[in-house]
Amino acid sequence: MAKKNIEETIINAAAKIFLEKGMDGARMQEIAKAAGINQAGLHYYFRSKERLFNTVMKKRVRAFFRSFAETLPQADDFETFLKSFIENYLDHINKHVLFMRFVIWEVQRGAPIMSEAMKEAVDGGDLPLNMFLEKIKIAQEAGIVRVVDPTQFMITTVSACIFPFIARPVLENVFQFSVTGNEFLRMRKEEIYRVLWNGIKKQ
Amino acid sequence: MAKKNIEETIINAAAKIFLEKGMDGARMQEIAKAAGINQAGLHYYFRSKERLFNTVMKKRVRAFFRSFAETLPQADDFETFLKSFIENYLDHINKHVLFMRFVIWEVQRGAPIMSEAMKEAVDGGDLPLNMFLEKIKIAQEAGIVRVVDPTQFMITTVSACIFPFIARPVLENVFQFSVTGNEFLRMRKEEIYRVLWNGIKKQ
DNA sequence: GTCTATACATCGATAGAC
DNA sequence: GTCTATCGATGTATAGAC
Protein backbone atom coordinates (compact mmCIF):
# COMPACT_ATOMS: atom_id res chain seq x y z
CA MET A 1 0.00 0.00 0.00
CA ALA A 2 1.31 3.44 -0.86
CA LYS A 3 2.31 5.73 1.98
CA LYS A 4 -0.52 8.18 1.33
CA ASN A 5 -3.03 5.35 1.41
CA ILE A 6 -1.78 4.07 4.74
CA GLU A 7 -1.93 7.51 6.26
CA GLU A 8 -5.46 7.86 4.93
CA THR A 9 -6.44 4.51 6.43
CA ILE A 10 -4.98 5.48 9.80
CA ILE A 11 -6.72 8.86 9.78
CA ASN A 12 -10.09 7.27 9.07
CA ALA A 13 -9.65 4.60 11.71
CA ALA A 14 -8.47 7.19 14.23
CA ALA A 15 -11.40 9.48 13.48
CA LYS A 16 -13.86 6.71 14.21
CA ILE A 17 -12.29 5.91 17.59
CA PHE A 18 -11.76 9.54 18.60
CA LEU A 19 -15.36 10.47 17.78
CA GLU A 20 -16.73 7.61 19.85
CA LYS A 21 -14.44 7.79 22.87
CA GLY A 22 -13.02 11.30 22.83
CA MET A 23 -9.33 12.19 22.99
CA ASP A 24 -9.01 10.99 26.61
CA GLY A 25 -10.89 7.74 26.11
CA ALA A 26 -9.29 6.76 22.80
CA ARG A 27 -6.46 4.19 22.92
CA MET A 28 -3.59 4.09 20.45
CA GLN A 29 -3.74 0.31 20.54
CA GLU A 30 -7.37 0.33 19.46
CA ILE A 31 -6.67 2.79 16.65
CA ALA A 32 -3.75 0.68 15.44
CA LYS A 33 -5.90 -2.41 15.38
CA ALA A 34 -8.70 -0.63 13.53
CA ALA A 35 -6.16 0.59 10.97
CA GLY A 36 -4.69 -2.90 10.56
CA ILE A 37 -1.19 -2.04 11.79
CA ASN A 38 0.58 -2.20 15.13
CA GLN A 39 1.25 0.52 17.65
CA ALA A 40 4.85 1.08 16.54
CA GLY A 41 3.64 1.72 13.02
CA LEU A 42 1.17 4.27 14.29
CA HIS A 43 3.98 6.22 15.95
CA TYR A 44 6.14 5.86 12.88
CA TYR A 45 3.55 7.68 10.80
CA PHE A 46 2.22 10.25 13.27
CA ARG A 47 4.86 10.48 16.00
CA SER A 48 2.41 11.00 18.88
CA LYS A 49 -1.22 10.71 19.88
CA GLU A 50 -1.53 14.48 20.01
CA ARG A 51 -0.20 14.93 16.48
CA LEU A 52 -2.50 12.22 15.18
CA PHE A 53 -5.44 13.87 16.91
CA ASN A 54 -4.56 17.28 15.48
CA THR A 55 -4.14 15.93 11.97
CA VAL A 56 -7.44 14.10 12.09
CA MET A 57 -9.33 17.10 13.45
CA LYS A 58 -7.97 19.71 11.09
CA LYS A 59 -9.05 17.52 8.21
CA ARG A 60 -12.48 16.67 9.61
CA VAL A 61 -13.47 20.15 10.75
CA ARG A 62 -12.60 21.66 7.40
CA ALA A 63 -14.42 18.95 5.46
CA PHE A 64 -17.44 19.27 7.71
CA PHE A 65 -17.66 23.04 7.38
CA ARG A 66 -17.26 22.81 3.60
CA SER A 67 -20.09 20.31 3.33
CA PHE A 68 -22.48 22.85 4.86
CA ALA A 69 -22.74 24.51 1.44
CA GLU A 70 -24.48 21.42 0.10
CA THR A 71 -27.40 21.98 2.45
CA LEU A 72 -28.17 25.41 1.01
CA PRO A 73 -31.02 25.26 -1.54
CA GLN A 74 -31.27 27.50 -4.59
CA ALA A 75 -34.89 28.60 -4.16
CA ASP A 76 -35.55 32.35 -4.24
CA ASP A 77 -38.86 32.05 -2.41
CA PHE A 78 -38.05 32.14 1.31
CA GLU A 79 -40.64 29.62 2.40
CA THR A 80 -39.35 27.07 -0.10
CA PHE A 81 -35.78 27.93 0.81
CA LEU A 82 -36.42 27.39 4.52
CA LYS A 83 -38.31 24.13 4.01
CA SER A 84 -35.61 22.70 1.75
CA PHE A 85 -32.82 23.89 4.01
CA ILE A 86 -34.36 22.17 7.02
CA GLU A 87 -34.76 18.93 5.10
CA ASN A 88 -31.24 19.03 3.68
CA TYR A 89 -29.70 20.10 6.95
CA LEU A 90 -31.42 17.36 8.95
CA ASP A 91 -30.19 14.74 6.46
CA HIS A 92 -26.74 16.24 6.84
CA ILE A 93 -26.86 16.21 10.64
CA ASN A 94 -28.13 12.67 10.62
CA LYS A 95 -24.89 11.62 8.93
CA HIS A 96 -22.66 13.55 11.35
CA VAL A 97 -24.27 13.14 14.75
CA LEU A 98 -21.18 11.63 16.36
CA PHE A 99 -18.95 14.36 14.98
CA MET A 100 -21.14 17.23 16.17
CA ARG A 101 -21.54 15.85 19.68
CA PHE A 102 -17.80 15.20 19.81
CA VAL A 103 -16.91 18.75 18.73
CA ILE A 104 -19.19 20.32 21.33
CA TRP A 105 -17.62 18.18 24.03
CA GLU A 106 -13.98 18.57 22.98
CA VAL A 107 -14.21 22.33 22.54
CA GLN A 108 -15.40 22.85 26.10
CA ARG A 109 -13.02 20.17 27.39
CA GLY A 110 -10.29 22.48 26.20
CA ALA A 111 -8.63 20.82 23.21
CA PRO A 112 -6.87 23.83 21.69
CA ILE A 113 -6.75 22.29 18.23
CA MET A 114 -10.54 22.33 17.95
CA SER A 115 -10.95 26.10 18.22
CA GLU A 116 -7.91 26.55 16.03
CA ALA A 117 -9.27 24.25 13.32
CA MET A 118 -12.64 25.98 13.42
CA LYS A 119 -11.06 29.40 13.21
CA GLU A 120 -9.03 28.34 10.18
CA ALA A 121 -12.09 26.89 8.48
CA VAL A 122 -14.14 30.03 9.15
CA ASP A 123 -11.36 32.40 8.08
CA GLY A 124 -10.74 30.26 5.01
CA GLY A 125 -14.34 30.88 3.96
CA ASP A 126 -15.32 27.24 4.26
CA LEU A 127 -18.63 28.05 5.93
CA PRO A 128 -20.97 30.10 3.71
CA LEU A 129 -23.36 31.34 6.41
CA ASN A 130 -23.93 34.69 4.74
CA MET A 131 -26.17 33.23 2.10
CA PHE A 132 -28.63 32.06 4.76
CA LEU A 133 -28.52 35.37 6.60
CA GLU A 134 -28.93 37.34 3.36
CA LYS A 135 -32.01 35.32 2.43
CA ILE A 136 -33.64 36.37 5.68
CA LYS A 137 -32.77 40.03 5.16
CA ILE A 138 -34.12 40.03 1.61
CA ALA A 139 -37.35 38.38 2.75
CA GLN A 140 -37.65 40.98 5.50
CA GLU A 141 -37.19 43.87 3.08
CA ALA A 142 -39.77 42.29 0.78
CA GLY A 143 -42.20 42.16 3.70
CA ILE A 144 -42.47 38.37 3.52
CA VAL A 145 -41.22 37.70 7.03
CA ARG A 146 -41.18 39.54 10.32
CA VAL A 147 -38.23 41.69 11.33
CA VAL A 148 -35.98 39.56 13.52
CA ASP A 149 -32.25 39.36 14.10
CA PRO A 150 -31.11 37.02 11.31
CA THR A 151 -28.33 35.46 13.38
CA GLN A 152 -30.69 34.71 16.25
CA PHE A 153 -33.21 33.13 13.90
CA MET A 154 -30.51 31.00 12.32
CA ILE A 155 -29.29 29.90 15.75
CA THR A 156 -32.84 28.89 16.61
CA THR A 157 -33.11 26.96 13.36
CA VAL A 158 -29.90 25.00 13.74
CA SER A 159 -30.70 24.38 17.41
CA ALA A 160 -34.05 22.82 16.59
CA CYS A 161 -32.30 20.71 13.96
CA ILE A 162 -29.16 19.58 15.76
CA PHE A 163 -30.13 19.16 19.40
CA PRO A 164 -32.69 16.35 19.15
CA PHE A 165 -30.14 14.24 17.31
CA ILE A 166 -27.08 14.77 19.46
CA ALA A 167 -29.20 14.41 22.60
CA ARG A 168 -31.37 11.62 21.25
CA PRO A 169 -30.26 8.95 23.76
CA VAL A 170 -31.13 11.36 26.54
CA LEU A 171 -34.45 12.41 25.00
CA GLU A 172 -35.45 8.78 24.59
CA ASN A 173 -35.04 8.32 28.33
CA VAL A 174 -36.70 11.58 29.24
CA PHE A 175 -39.67 11.47 26.86
CA GLN A 176 -39.84 7.69 26.84
CA PHE A 177 -40.37 7.47 23.11
CA SER A 178 -38.94 4.92 20.76
CA VAL A 179 -39.20 5.33 17.01
CA THR A 180 -36.90 4.29 14.19
CA GLY A 181 -34.28 6.74 12.99
CA ASN A 182 -36.13 7.35 9.74
CA GLU A 183 -39.43 7.99 11.46
CA PHE A 184 -37.84 10.42 13.89
CA LEU A 185 -36.12 12.22 11.01
CA ARG A 186 -39.42 12.56 9.15
CA MET A 187 -41.25 13.90 12.20
CA ARG A 188 -38.58 16.47 12.92
CA LYS A 189 -38.55 17.73 9.33
CA GLU A 190 -42.27 18.36 9.52
CA GLU A 191 -42.30 19.86 13.02
CA ILE A 192 -39.39 22.24 12.57
CA TYR A 193 -40.58 23.57 9.25
CA ARG A 194 -44.12 24.20 10.54
CA VAL A 195 -43.11 25.95 13.73
CA LEU A 196 -40.34 28.04 12.22
CA TRP A 197 -42.18 29.13 9.11
CA ASN A 198 -45.28 30.08 11.10
CA GLY A 199 -42.95 31.68 13.59
CA ILE A 200 -41.27 34.03 11.14
CA LYS A 201 -43.77 34.65 8.34
CA LYS A 202 -45.76 37.85 8.24
CA GLN A 203 -49.41 37.24 8.97
CA MET B 1 -15.74 17.10 60.23
CA ALA B 2 -18.49 14.49 60.43
CA LYS B 3 -18.35 11.56 58.04
CA LYS B 4 -21.43 12.71 56.12
CA ASN B 5 -19.94 16.15 55.65
CA ILE B 6 -16.69 14.79 54.26
CA GLU B 7 -18.54 12.57 51.83
CA GLU B 8 -20.60 15.57 50.77
CA THR B 9 -17.45 17.64 50.26
CA ILE B 10 -15.87 14.89 48.17
CA ILE B 11 -19.00 14.45 46.06
CA ASN B 12 -19.17 18.15 45.28
CA ALA B 13 -15.49 18.37 44.43
CA ALA B 14 -15.71 15.24 42.28
CA ALA B 15 -18.77 16.55 40.45
CA LYS B 16 -16.94 19.71 39.48
CA ILE B 17 -13.95 17.82 38.06
CA PHE B 18 -16.04 15.13 36.33
CA LEU B 19 -18.28 17.70 34.66
CA GLU B 20 -15.31 19.61 33.30
CA LYS B 21 -13.09 16.75 32.21
CA GLY B 22 -15.40 13.78 31.80
CA MET B 23 -14.94 10.37 33.44
CA ASP B 24 -11.87 9.57 31.28
CA GLY B 25 -10.19 12.92 31.71
CA ALA B 26 -10.81 13.32 35.45
CA ARG B 27 -7.94 12.45 37.80
CA MET B 28 -8.39 11.07 41.31
CA GLN B 29 -5.46 13.17 42.45
CA GLU B 30 -7.16 16.34 41.27
CA ILE B 31 -10.43 15.40 42.94
CA ALA B 32 -8.63 14.63 46.19
CA LYS B 33 -6.90 18.00 46.12
CA ALA B 34 -10.15 19.83 45.36
CA ALA B 35 -11.77 18.03 48.30
CA GLY B 36 -8.88 18.89 50.61
CA ILE B 37 -7.84 15.32 51.31
CA ASN B 38 -5.31 12.92 49.82
CA GLN B 39 -5.80 10.09 47.34
CA ALA B 40 -5.81 7.37 50.00
CA GLY B 41 -8.65 9.12 51.77
CA LEU B 42 -10.61 9.26 48.55
CA HIS B 43 -10.36 5.49 48.21
CA TYR B 44 -11.17 5.01 51.84
CA TYR B 45 -14.52 6.73 51.37
CA PHE B 46 -15.48 5.58 47.87
CA ARG B 47 -13.32 2.53 47.15
CA SER B 48 -12.82 3.22 43.44
CA LYS B 49 -13.12 5.88 40.77
CA GLU B 50 -16.05 4.06 39.22
CA ARG B 51 -17.98 3.91 42.49
CA LEU B 52 -17.30 7.58 43.13
CA PHE B 53 -18.49 8.44 39.63
CA ASN B 54 -21.66 6.40 40.04
CA THR B 55 -22.47 7.93 43.42
CA VAL B 56 -21.96 11.45 42.12
CA MET B 57 -24.07 10.87 39.03
CA LYS B 58 -27.03 9.20 40.69
CA LYS B 59 -27.24 12.14 43.03
CA ARG B 60 -26.81 14.82 40.37
CA VAL B 61 -29.16 13.38 37.77
CA ARG B 62 -31.95 13.01 40.29
CA ALA B 63 -31.45 16.52 41.69
CA PHE B 64 -31.33 17.97 38.20
CA PHE B 65 -34.52 16.25 37.07
CA ARG B 66 -36.31 17.32 40.23
CA SER B 67 -35.34 20.94 39.72
CA PHE B 68 -37.17 20.96 36.38
CA ALA B 69 -40.43 21.42 38.28
CA GLU B 70 -39.26 24.86 39.39
CA THR B 71 -39.25 26.07 35.79
CA LEU B 72 -42.95 25.34 35.31
CA PRO B 73 -45.07 28.49 35.74
CA GLN B 74 -48.57 28.53 37.17
CA ALA B 75 -50.23 30.63 34.46
CA ASP B 76 -53.40 29.19 32.90
CA ASP B 77 -53.11 31.34 29.78
CA PHE B 78 -50.88 29.41 27.36
CA GLU B 79 -49.06 32.42 25.93
CA THR B 80 -48.09 33.59 29.42
CA PHE B 81 -47.22 30.04 30.41
CA LEU B 82 -44.93 29.59 27.39
CA LYS B 83 -43.22 32.95 27.84
CA SER B 84 -42.58 32.34 31.53
CA PHE B 85 -41.44 28.79 30.95
CA ILE B 86 -38.87 29.89 28.38
CA GLU B 87 -37.53 32.55 30.72
CA ASN B 88 -37.38 30.22 33.72
CA TYR B 89 -35.94 27.37 31.71
CA LEU B 90 -33.20 29.50 30.16
CA ASP B 91 -32.19 30.75 33.60
CA HIS B 92 -32.15 27.14 34.73
CA ILE B 93 -30.04 25.97 31.78
CA ASN B 94 -27.66 28.85 32.28
CA LYS B 95 -26.86 27.43 35.71
CA HIS B 96 -26.38 23.88 34.45
CA VAL B 97 -24.62 24.21 31.10
CA LEU B 98 -21.65 22.06 32.09
CA PHE B 99 -23.89 19.35 33.47
CA MET B 100 -26.10 19.12 30.38
CA ARG B 101 -23.20 19.00 27.96
CA PHE B 102 -21.53 16.40 30.13
CA VAL B 103 -24.63 14.17 30.27
CA ILE B 104 -25.07 14.26 26.50
CA TRP B 105 -21.45 13.28 26.03
CA GLU B 106 -21.27 10.58 28.71
CA VAL B 107 -24.50 8.90 27.67
CA GLN B 108 -23.31 8.37 24.13
CA ARG B 109 -19.79 7.52 25.37
CA GLY B 110 -21.45 4.53 26.98
CA ALA B 111 -21.33 5.13 30.74
CA PRO B 112 -23.99 2.65 31.86
CA ILE B 113 -24.69 4.53 35.08
CA MET B 114 -25.98 7.56 33.18
CA SER B 115 -28.88 5.79 31.48
CA GLU B 116 -29.57 3.92 34.68
CA ALA B 117 -29.67 7.09 36.76
CA MET B 118 -31.96 8.76 34.23
CA LYS B 119 -34.29 5.79 34.13
CA GLU B 120 -34.54 5.76 37.92
CA ALA B 121 -35.27 9.49 38.01
CA VAL B 122 -37.94 9.20 35.31
CA ASP B 123 -39.55 6.12 36.88
CA GLY B 124 -39.41 7.80 40.28
CA GLY B 125 -41.53 10.62 38.89
CA ASP B 126 -38.82 13.24 39.33
CA LEU B 127 -39.50 14.85 35.95
CA PRO B 128 -42.99 16.33 35.66
CA LEU B 129 -43.18 16.65 31.88
CA ASN B 130 -46.87 15.89 31.70
CA MET B 131 -47.86 19.30 32.95
CA PHE B 132 -46.18 20.95 29.97
CA LEU B 133 -47.71 18.49 27.51
CA GLU B 134 -51.17 18.86 29.10
CA LYS B 135 -51.00 22.65 28.78
CA ILE B 136 -50.49 22.28 25.05
CA LYS B 137 -53.38 19.85 24.70
CA ILE B 138 -55.75 22.08 26.65
CA ALA B 139 -54.77 25.10 24.55
CA GLN B 140 -55.36 23.05 21.42
CA GLU B 141 -58.81 21.97 22.54
CA ALA B 142 -59.61 25.56 23.39
CA GLY B 143 -58.61 26.58 19.86
CA ILE B 144 -55.82 28.83 21.13
CA VAL B 145 -52.97 27.04 19.39
CA ARG B 146 -52.58 24.94 16.26
CA VAL B 147 -52.84 21.16 16.41
CA VAL B 148 -49.31 19.78 16.71
CA ASP B 149 -47.75 16.77 18.40
CA PRO B 150 -47.14 18.08 21.94
CA THR B 151 -43.96 16.03 22.43
CA GLN B 152 -42.46 17.31 19.18
CA PHE B 153 -43.27 20.89 20.11
CA MET B 154 -41.72 20.44 23.51
CA ILE B 155 -38.59 18.93 21.95
CA THR B 156 -38.36 21.94 19.66
CA THR B 157 -38.73 24.26 22.64
CA VAL B 158 -36.06 22.67 24.79
CA SER B 159 -33.76 22.38 21.76
CA ALA B 160 -33.99 26.10 21.05
CA CYS B 161 -33.29 26.73 24.72
CA ILE B 162 -30.50 24.29 25.46
CA PHE B 163 -28.43 24.03 22.31
CA PRO B 164 -27.13 27.61 22.01
CA PHE B 165 -25.76 27.34 25.54
CA ILE B 166 -24.09 23.96 25.42
CA ALA B 167 -22.68 24.75 21.97
CA ARG B 168 -21.88 28.36 22.74
CA PRO B 169 -18.09 28.08 22.33
CA VAL B 170 -18.67 26.55 18.92
CA LEU B 171 -21.32 29.09 17.90
CA GLU B 172 -19.00 31.93 18.86
CA ASN B 173 -16.46 30.60 16.40
CA VAL B 174 -18.99 29.87 13.69
CA PHE B 175 -21.08 33.03 13.89
CA GLN B 176 -18.20 35.16 15.09
CA PHE B 177 -20.23 36.94 17.70
CA SER B 178 -19.15 37.95 21.14
CA VAL B 179 -21.62 39.21 23.72
CA THR B 180 -21.71 38.90 27.48
CA GLY B 181 -23.51 35.97 29.05
CA ASN B 182 -26.31 38.19 30.30
CA GLU B 183 -26.82 39.86 26.95
CA PHE B 184 -26.92 36.51 25.16
CA LEU B 185 -29.42 35.18 27.70
CA ARG B 186 -31.67 38.21 27.19
CA MET B 187 -31.55 37.91 23.39
CA ARG B 188 -32.38 34.21 23.47
CA LYS B 189 -35.35 34.73 25.80
CA GLU B 190 -36.82 37.25 23.38
CA GLU B 191 -36.05 35.31 20.19
CA ILE B 192 -37.32 31.93 21.34
CA TYR B 193 -40.53 33.27 22.78
CA ARG B 194 -41.36 35.27 19.63
CA VAL B 195 -40.64 32.49 17.17
CA LEU B 196 -42.30 29.71 19.16
CA TRP B 197 -45.41 31.63 20.13
CA ASN B 198 -45.96 32.87 16.60
CA GLY B 199 -45.14 29.38 15.44
CA ILE B 200 -47.85 27.66 17.44
CA LYS B 201 -50.62 30.21 18.00
CA LYS B 202 -53.74 30.11 15.90
CA GLN B 203 -53.92 33.03 13.51
C1' DG C 1 -9.69 7.92 59.92
C1' DT C 2 -5.61 9.91 57.87
C1' DC C 3 -1.09 9.81 56.39
C1' DT C 4 3.35 8.09 53.49
C1' DA C 5 5.06 4.89 50.71
C1' DT C 6 4.49 1.82 47.24
C1' DA C 7 2.40 -1.85 44.55
C1' DC C 8 0.09 -2.73 40.30
C1' DA C 9 -1.90 -1.75 35.77
C1' DT C 10 -2.19 0.75 31.65
C1' DC C 11 -0.72 3.50 28.10
C1' DG C 12 2.15 6.25 25.05
C1' DA C 13 6.41 6.00 23.06
C1' DT C 14 10.96 4.11 21.48
C1' DA C 15 14.99 0.87 20.57
C1' DG C 16 16.72 -2.19 17.65
C1' DA C 17 16.39 -6.52 14.77
C1' DC C 18 14.82 -7.66 10.32
C1' DG D 1 8.83 0.38 6.67
C1' DT D 2 7.35 -3.12 9.91
C1' DC D 3 7.91 -6.07 13.61
C1' DT D 4 8.82 -7.62 18.86
C1' DA D 5 10.23 -6.27 23.06
C1' DT D 6 10.47 -3.04 26.42
C1' DC D 7 11.06 1.51 28.63
C1' DG D 8 9.23 5.32 31.26
C1' DA D 9 5.45 8.00 32.77
C1' DT D 10 1.17 8.29 34.75
C1' DG D 11 -2.82 6.89 37.19
C1' DT D 12 -5.56 3.79 40.25
C1' DA D 13 -5.45 1.36 44.24
C1' DT D 14 -3.61 -0.62 48.61
C1' DA D 15 -0.47 -1.77 52.65
C1' DG D 16 0.74 -0.49 56.88
C1' DA D 17 2.36 2.99 60.36
C1' DC D 18 0.34 6.32 63.23
Side-chain angles (χ1 to χ4, degrees), chain B residues 67-87:
Chain B
S67 66
F68 174 76
E70 296 162 21
T71 66
L72 292 169
Q74 292 301 323
D76 281 330
D77 168 50
F78 187 74
E79 183 181 357
T80 311
F81 172 81
L82 184 64
K83 188 170 166 47
S84 297
F85 172 76
I86 291 166
E87 287 172 3

Side-chain angles (χ1 to χ4, degrees), chain B:
Chain B
M1 192 160 26
K3 186 175 174 180
K4 277 291 163 198
N5 275 344
I6 293 186
E7 287 180 1
E8 201 65 30
T9 304
I10 293 175
I11 285 176
N12 289 333
K16 183 172 160 16
I17 310 285
F18 279 136
L19 264 48
E20 281 172 12
K21 312 263 175 96
M23 168 65 163
D24 292 331
R27 293 292 162 253
M28 293 296 268
Q29 173 53 36
E30 196 180 356
I31 293 172
K33 192 183 171 190
I37 56 172
N38 62 32
Q39 218 169 325
L42 208 49
H43 280 86
Y44 172 78
Y45 281 101
F46 291 92
R47 217 183 143 72
S48 75
K49 185 181 181 181
E50 194 186 352
R51 275 168 189 261
L52 175 58
F53 184 76
N54 292 358
T55 306
V56 170
M57 290 313 139
K58 286 212 178 192
K59 211 176 162 77
R60 283 275 161 146
V61 169
R62 182 143 231 181
F64 178 74
F65 276 30
R66 283 224 174 98
S67 66
F68 174 76
E70 296 162 21
T71 66
L72 292 169
Q74 292 301 323
D76 281 330
D77 168 50
F78 187 74
E79 183 181 357
T80 311
F81 172 81
L82 184 64
K83 188 170 166 47
S84 297
F85 172 76
I86 291 166
E87 287 172 3
N88 297 349
Y89 195 56
L90 280 173
D91 287 334
H92 185 241
I93 289 164
N94 200 31
K95 288 185 203 131
H96 298 93
V97 180
L98 271 181
F99 179 76
M100 295 179 125
R101 181 164 34 206
F102 166 86
V103 169
I104 290 169
W105 172 252
E106 289 290 330
V107 167
Q108 94 82 27
R109 214 249 322 157
I113 188 67
M114 300 306 294
S115 300
E116 196 186 304
M118 286 194 298
K119 190 171 157 41
E120 272 181 29
V122 170
D123 292 348
D126 287 337
L127 191 70
L129 290 185
N130 276 342
M131 186 190 154
F132 189 106
L133 299 173
E134 283 302 319
K135 284 273 181 192
I136 299 176
K137 284 179 199 160
I138 291 168
Q140 281 176 345
E141 284 158 15
I144 309 285
V145 305
R146 293 187 301 105
V147 174
V148 296
D149 176 44
T151 300
Q152 287 293 322
F153 182 75
M154 189 167 173
I155 289 178
T156 302
T157 304
V158 299
S159 298
C161 289
I162 300 173
F163 186 78
F165 287 85
I166 63 167
R168 192 175 167 185
V170 177
L171 294 184
E172 284 179 347
N173 267 291
V174 166
F175 288 98
Q176 298 185 300
F177 69 79
S178 166
V179 290
T180 68
N182 283 341
E183 178 66 2
F184 188 65
L185 190 62
R186 199 193 56 71
M187 288 192 301
R188 292 306 301 163
K189 281 180 180 174
E190 183 68 17
E191 161 74 13
I192 297 172
Y193 160 65
R194 277 192 189 281
V195 170
L196 290 184
W197 171 241
N198 278 310
I200 198 174
K201 78 172 181 193
K202 238 183 184 140
Q203 315 302 344

Side-chain angles (χ1 to χ4, degrees), chain A residues 4-141:
Chain A
K4 276 291 162 196
N5 275 344
I6 294 185
E7 287 181 0
E8 201 66 29
T9 304
I10 295 174
I11 286 176
N12 289 333
K16 183 172 159 16
I17 311 286
F18 279 136
L19 263 49
E20 281 172 11
K21 313 264 175 93
M23 168 68 162
D24 291 332
R27 294 290 162 254
M28 292 297 267
Q29 172 54 35
E30 196 180 357
I31 293 171
K33 192 183 171 189
I37 57 173
N38 63 33
Q39 216 170 326
L42 208 49
H43 280 86
Y44 173 78
Y45 281 101
F46 290 92
R47 218 183 136 73
S48 75
K49 186 181 182 182
E50 195 185 354
R51 276 169 188 260
L52 175 58
F53 185 76
N54 292 358
T55 306
V56 170
M57 290 312 140
K58 286 212 177 191
K59 212 176 162 79
R60 283 275 161 145
V61 169
R62 182 142 230 183
F64 178 74
F65 276 30
R66 282 224 175 100
S67 65
F68 174 76
E70 295 162 21
T71 66
L72 292 168
Q74 291 302 322
D76 281 331
D77 168 50
F78 187 74
E79 183 180 358
T80 311
F81 172 81
L82 184 64
K83 188 170 165 48
S84 298
F85 171 76
I86 291 167
E87 287 172 3
N88 296 350
Y89 195 57
L90 280 173
D91 288 335
H92 185 242
I93 289 165
N94 201 30
K95 288 186 203 129
H96 298 94
V97 179
L98 271 182
F99 179 76
M100 295 179 124
R101 181 163 34 207
F102 166 86
V103 169
I104 290 169
W105 172 252
E106 289 290 329
V107 167
Q108 95 83 26
R109 215 249 321 156
I113 187 67
M114 301 306 296
S115 300
E116 197 186 303
M118 286 195 298
K119 189 171 157 42
E120 272 182 29
V122 169
D123 292 349
D126 287 338
L127 191 70
L129 291 185
N130 276 342
M131 186 188 153
F132 190 105
L133 300 173
E134 282 302 319
K135 285 273 181 190
I136 299 175
K137 284 180 199 158
I138 290 168
Q140 281 177 347
E141 283 158 14

